[in-house]
Each structure stands twice: as structure tokens, then as C-alpha cells.
């Protein structure tokens, strides 16, 4: 790098994908896709993969100016059935428009359209990566209703692991709570995992509600509402994912 390209001591540089993630535009992975497709422009020039930028640079994504959000946000949302955990604004059921938060935020992970309950949303890309990293065994708890009476064999097989998606699910904790209902605590997040596990064992999920992610509980949060995490929750969450 030539001397005239060196940043001065007051310049703060950041990887472009992190800038977009921190701004709440999308995840880093999605940012890399946008950059590779030539949809990101920095100071009038098409961005390149791995680029570092001045945090005060003019950044456009699909022609829309992006401002870096300096305050990190994380909220708990009680997602109703019918809302999709996508940032795609062309989808009329996208969760971003549904929540209508005053800053750009996006969901941490997914909760399928036919399921309800707790989903976390943030503008902090670093916390997304830590929570979603599959090898870290982060707990998520659900209440599930199925279409026929639950048996001891069903509980045993669910807990020990079920073969789906060319793998066997991790051992998990299952507690029967009623004739057709059970609680399940997972430490992985395969696509439609609980529904697939139940179907493999001859049961069909009628209702699925997530009530906890790590230390964050849904509690009595009303369906369709959101709340900021408390300082205590944030401190506990950070200690669990660091």
C-alpha cells in the first residue's frame, strides 16, 4: 500500500461485510453474497470481497444508502404463525416489516412460518454468529402438540436421536406434559427439525411454540409483540456465548 493510501490515525476501518452486518442490513454471509453480485457500492465504486472501508464511507446496497448503527440492539419477539423469518421486503409476511422496529434489525436464525414463539432480532452481526454456531450446543426449548397420544417409545426415540436429513439428531431432553403435548430442549437447529423428527416416528406436529433461547425466555410476552432484553439478560447471554 502506498503512503498516500494509508489511513490517518483518526480513520476507523472495518470489513465491509461486518459494516453491513452491524448496520442491520443482513448477516455477514448475506453481505458477502451481495458484494459478490456487485450490488454494493462504496464511495462510487463497486465493492470487492474482503474490502475494508472507512466507517464514514458512502455505502449503497442496491442503490439504497446505508448508515452504520452505532448502538447495538437485540430484542425478543413473539412471532405469530404466518410470519416468515426473512429480511426479503418482497415477501409481504417478512418479520422485519411486521415488527417495524425503528432501526434496521434482522432475525437471529429462523422459526418456520407455521411455528410461533420466541425469535431474537438484532443489528449486531457478531452476536448472530456466536448464537448460531452449531458446535456451541446452544439450548432452545419448545412446547409441541402432536396429532395422537404420545408413547414412552416416542419419548425415548426422540431423546436418543432420530435419523433425518442424512444425519442423526443430537441427544436431547423430552418431557411429556400432556396426552398430546411435550417439551423438548434442542442444542442444534436443523431445518424443520422437530417436525421432521416427529414425522419420522409417525407423528404430525399440530402446534409448535418456542419458549426459550439460551437464557432468554418468552414468558408472558404477547403474541406479535417485542421487548428489549434487560441488562441482566444481556450480561447472562454474553457470558453464555463468549
Amino acid at each position: 500500500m502506498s503512503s498516500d493510501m494509508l489511513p490517518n490515525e483518526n480513520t476507523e476501518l472495518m470489513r465491509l461485510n461486518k459494516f453491513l452486518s452491524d448496520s442491520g442490513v443482513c448477516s455477514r454471509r448475506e453481505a458477502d453474497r451481495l458484494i459478490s453480485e456487485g450490488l454494493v457500492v462504496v464511495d462510487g465504486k463497486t465493492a470487492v470481497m474482503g474490502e475494508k472501508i472507512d466507517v464514514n464511507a458512502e455505502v449503497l446496497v442496491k442503490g439504497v444508502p446505508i448508515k452504520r448503527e452505532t448502538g447495538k440492539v437485540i430484542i425478543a419477539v413473539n412471532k405469530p404463525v404466518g410470519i416468515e423469518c426473512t429480511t426479503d421486503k418482497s415477501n409481504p409476511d417478512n418479520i422485519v416489516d411486521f415488527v417495524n422496529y425503528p432501526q434496521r434489525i434482522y432475525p437471529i436464525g429462523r422459526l418456520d412460518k407455521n411455528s410461533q414463539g420466541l425469535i431474537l432480532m438484532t443489528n449486531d452481526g457478531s452476536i448472530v454468529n456466536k448464537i448460531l454456531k452449531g458446535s456451541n450446543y446452544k439450548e432452545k426449548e419448545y412446547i409441541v402438540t402432536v396429532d395422537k397420544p404420545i408413547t414412552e417409545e416416542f419419548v425415548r426415540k426422540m431423546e436418543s436421536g432420530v435419523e433425518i436429513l442424512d444425519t442423526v439428531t443430537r441427544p436431547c431432553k423430552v418431557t411429556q406434559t400432556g396426552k398430546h403435548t411435550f417439551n423438548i430442549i434442542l442444542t442444534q437447529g436443523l431445518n424443520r427439525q422437530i417436525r421432521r423428527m416427529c414425522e419420522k416416528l409417525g407423528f404430525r406436529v399440530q402446534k409448535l411454540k418456542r419458549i426459550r433461547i439460551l437464557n432468554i425466555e418468552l414468558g408472558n410476552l404477547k403474541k406479535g409483540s417485542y421487548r428489549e432484553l434487560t441488562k441482566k439478560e444481556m450480561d447472562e447471554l454474553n457470558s453464555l456465548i463468549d
Side-chain angles (χ1 to χ4, degrees):
M1 179 182 289
S2 63
S3 60
D4 62 338
M5 295 177 64
L6 291 173
N8 64 50
E9 61 182 5
N10 296 318
T11 299
E12 182 185 353
L13 295 181
M14 178 183 288
R15 283 197 177 272
L16 179 54
N17 62 357
K18 185 177 189 304
F19 176 93
L20 295 176
S21 176
D22 286 357
S23 298
V25 176
C26 56
S27 66
R28 289 197 197 185
R29 180 178 294 181
E30 177 67 8
D32 285 339
R33 184 188 69 78
L34 293 169
I35 294 166
S36 68
E37 293 180 2
L39 299 174
V40 183
V41 173
V42 178
D43 289 335
K45 295 182 179 179
T46 302
V48 297
M49 292 291 289
E51 181 174 351
K52 287 188 176 181
I53 68 167
D54 183 325
V55 296
N56 296 311
E58 180 185 67
V59 179
L60 305 179
V61 175
K62 299 180 182 179
V64 178
I66 304 301
K67 291 184 178 180
R68 182 188 179 198
E69 302 289 359
T70 55
K72 293 183 178 180
V73 172
I74 181 166
I75 65 172
V77 180
N78 187 347
K79 184 194 87 69
V81 171
I83 298 300
E84 294 196 57
C85 294
T86 178
T87 59
D88 183 359
K89 294 299 191 79
S90 67
N91 184 329
D93 299 319
N94 78 83
I95 195 168
V96 176
D97 285 344
F98 174 79
V99 172
N100 195 29
Y101 194 78
Q103 288 181 238
R104 294 186 186 90
I105 56 173
Y106 50 90
I108 302 177
R110 299 183 64 84
L111 188 60
D112 71 66
K113 187 173 184 177
N114 295 323
S115 300
Q116 64 188 72
L118 181 63
I119 184 83
L120 302 179
M121 298 184 71
T122 188
N123 63 357
D124 183 359
S126 62
I127 204 168
V128 174
N129 296 330
K130 290 177 180 179
I131 290 176
L132 295 184
K133 190 174 181 182
S135 60
N136 289 344
Y137 288 77
K138 305 295 189 297
E139 285 192 353
K140 297 174 186 176
E141 184 173 356
Y142 304 79
I143 299 173
V144 187
T145 303
V146 290
D147 62 341
K148 57 186 180 181
I150 294 167
T151 63
E152 290 184 6
E153 182 184 22
F154 171 81
V155 172
R156 179 178 57 79
K157 288 183 176 179
M158 288 285 285
E159 286 191 321
S160 62
V162 180
E163 187 175 345
I164 60 170
L165 299 173
D166 298 321
T167 188
V168 176
T169 59
R170 288 176 185 164
C172 61
K173 177 64 176 175
V174 176
T175 304
Q176 184 173 354
T177 55
K179 187 175 182 180
H180 293 83
T181 59
F182 64 93
N183 276 38
I184 182 169
I185 299 174
L186 300 180
T187 58
Q188 66 184 141
L190 301 177
N191 181 256
R192 297 173 63 84
Q193 180 172 344
I194 297 172
R195 295 180 187 276
R196 292 179 190 274
M197 290 171 73
C198 290
E199 288 172 5
K200 185 75 173 183
L201 300 179
F203 290 72
R204 185 172 294 278
V205 171
Q206 294 184 322
K207 183 178 180 181
L208 193 155
K209 181 179 182 180
R210 184 156 64 198
I211 59 172
R212 179 172 65 88
I213 299 173
L214 289 162
N215 65 304
I216 311 302
E217 297 186 1
L218 182 65
N220 59 4
L221 184 63
K222 291 183 179 180
K223 190 184 300 183
S225 299
Y226 68 82
R227 66 173 179 84
E228 310 282 348
L229 298 194
T230 66
K231 183 180 185 303
K232 180 181 179 183
E233 285 176 324
M234 281 302 307
D235 289 344
E236 289 178 353
L237 180 62
N238 285 324
S239 69
L240 288 170
I241 63 178
D242 282 342

